[in-house]
Amino acid sequence: MSEQVMTTEPASLESLRVLYQSDDYIVVDKHWDIRIDSKMWYEKLTVQAQLRHHFPKLADPSTYYGFRFCHQLDFSTSGALCVALNKAAAGQAYRCFKDRTVTKAYLALLRGWVEEETQTLDFSIGKNSTEGKTHMMCVEGTEGCENPKPCRTELTVLEYGLYDGDPVTKVLLQPLTGRTHQLRVHCSAIGHPIVGDFTYSSGADDSPYRMMLHAHLLHIPLQPQPLLVSAEDPFVPTVDPKWLPQRSLRTLKDTVEVLLEHRLEEERKVEEEAKEKARREEERRKANKKERFEEESEEQRRQCQEWLSQWAGD
């Protein structure tokens, strides 16, 4: 495991932090200024290049990039990123993401003090077709918003403080859907854009060294052993002295525990519902079988009576 420590320094080929490794998966703590992969010849520094550098023997020549990324993180988002080391592992993880059984939680610093401590952000998001903004997403009802789809994010306030003298709120964000730029668009929609988000602040927020969004928690319910990994909190004064916490509402540890318990409870309910459905299906199948058997028995009795009456007549 890499012993790289969190820093405000830019990424390098060496600066790969490995959070978890098995025969099937590697989870890395993606740096905040690096793409996962790139087809551009001039873009040499990517997570894929870091992986090739550190684990040349694990690269799969049958794939375009050498490694199968199970999900995506934006260029300017840091944190837990899961990589599958074979086709079967990639398929299993993909099914979990597709079925929305994966739990993800992000840490963020937001501009201003968010008054409502816990809230569900429920804005449909679509592509922005406005000239010059086609790389952006937008909420339903804004000009040029194309094909908006329902999106939900749970927001929990952790701390209030200052960043470089300005009021900010440290929050935990749990995306319940998976739209492009969802967290960034949702936070901007409630008037609290993510600190350092140049794109969704109309280019105004350009002074911090990074965008303050970090994939902290990743739980994939793989069989037989679920994968649960957390990437250390980078929004602490020891890493970035410009962040000055003033009032804490709840700890990150406790908040994550509650989130995971809630998710496990949901999974148990789904499992119980599936078992109940299977039980009802089995009962219905048995009842149908019994009904068919009784119908067949009645038919057999009728045929037997007919044969007996004919035989007696002979």
Side-chain angles (χ1 to χ4, degrees):
M1 186 174 285
S2 171
E3 290 303 315
Q4 295 286 340
V5 292
M6 277 187 293
T7 170
T8 56
E9 293 299 311
S12 69
L13 210 56
E14 300 296 330
S15 62
L16 181 73
R17 302 184 72 236
V18 177
L19 303 170
Y20 170 88
Q21 187 176 353
S22 70
D23 292 341
D24 291 326
Y25 302 97
I26 292 177
V27 181
V28 300
D29 188 352
K30 179 192 164 295
H31 205 272
W32 46 264
D33 69 340
I34 188 170
R35 290 188 202 287
I36 289 173
D37 45 47
S38 177
K39 290 179 182 175
M40 304 299 178
W41 62 269
Y42 55 81
E43 203 145 15
K44 302 277 193 268
L45 185 56
T46 61
V47 176
Q48 183 253 143
Q50 289 180 324
L51 286 165
R52 278 188 178 277
H53 178 72
H54 285 265
F55 305 104
K57 290 179 181 175
L58 296 180
D60 185 342
S62 72
T63 65
Y64 187 91
Y65 294 113
F67 292 90
R68 293 178 170 88
F69 296 101
C70 299
H71 55 119
Q72 295 290 313
L73 289 179
D74 291 347
F75 165 78
S76 44
T77 303
S78 60
L81 175 68
C82 184
V83 184
L85 298 177
N86 55 68
K87 200 173 178 180
Q92 198 186 354
Y94 170 76
R95 278 190 296 277
C96 293
F97 278 95
K98 185 172 177 285
D99 296 341
R100 292 185 182 170
T101 57
V102 174
T103 303
K104 293 183 282 184
Y106 292 72
L107 282 164
L109 295 184
L110 307 187
R111 290 286 176 195
W113 285 335
V114 181
E115 286 183 22
E116 205 174 327
E117 290 180 18
T118 57
Q119 53 184 301
T120 301
L121 313 183
D122 200 347
F123 303 94
S124 292
I125 292 176
K127 280 189 78 73
N128 197 330
S129 63
T130 311
E131 193 179 342
K133 293 185 176 181
T134 51
H135 62 294
M136 295 172 68
M137 306 296 281
C138 51
V139 295
E140 188 174 21
T142 55
E143 191 186 346
C145 190
E146 275 186 1
N147 191 26
K149 292 181 181 173
C151 278
R152 286 174 66 228
T153 302
E154 297 288 353
L155 179 151
T156 306
V157 172
L158 300 173
E159 287 180 295
Y160 295 110
L162 301 172
Y163 188 84
D164 208 10
D166 295 321
V168 297
T169 308
K170 186 174 182 176
V171 299
L172 191 74
L173 300 167
Q174 186 191 0
L176 304 180
T177 47
R179 292 287 277 160
T180 303
H181 297 178
Q182 176 177 323
L183 302 180
R184 299 165 67 181
V185 174
H186 272 178
C187 291
S188 181
I190 60 166
H192 296 283
I194 295 169
V195 173
D197 190 347
F198 183 81
T199 303
Y200 291 100
S201 65
S202 304
D205 203 342
D206 60 353
S207 55
Y209 74 98
R210 63 163 291 179
M211 180 175 73
M212 306 297 175
L213 181 61
H214 177 73
H216 170 64
L217 181 85
L218 182 64
H219 177 263
I220 310 176
L222 301 165
Q223 294 297 335
Q225 186 63 42
L227 186 149
L228 175 61
V229 181
S230 59
E232 206 176 332
D233 178 5
F235 308 135
V236 289
T238 49
V239 174
D240 186 356
K242 287 185 177 181
W243 159 236
L244 186 66
Q246 291 186 318
R247 184 162 69 93
S248 176
L249 264 61
R250 47 184 67 82
T251 68
L252 176 58
K253 184 173 175 287
D254 290 347
T255 309
V256 165
E257 276 178 15
V258 169
L259 185 153
L260 286 173
E261 278 172 20
H262 181 64
R263 189 66 204 240
L264 284 171
E265 187 57 40
E266 280 182 352
E267 284 173 15
R268 273 196 293 270
K269 278 183 189 170
V270 169
E271 209 173 293
E272 281 168 15
E273 281 170 13
K275 280 180 184 173
E276 180 60 22
K277 189 180 175 185
R279 188 187 65 76
R280 285 199 301 268
E281 283 293 324
E282 180 64 17
E283 280 181 0
R284 199 159 37 241
R285 193 181 64 78
K286 282 179 180 175
N288 288 343
K289 193 175 176 183
K290 187 182 176 190
E291 204 173 291
R292 278 199 308 274
F293 176 74
E294 284 171 355
E295 281 173 9
E296 284 168 11
S297 297
E298 187 56 43
E299 178 64 16
Q300 284 164 351
R301 272 198 296 274
R302 191 188 62 74
Q303 285 177 353
C304 189
Q305 284 296 119
E306 205 174 286
W307 179 78
L308 281 170
S309 63
Q310 284 173 359
W311 180 75
D314 290 345

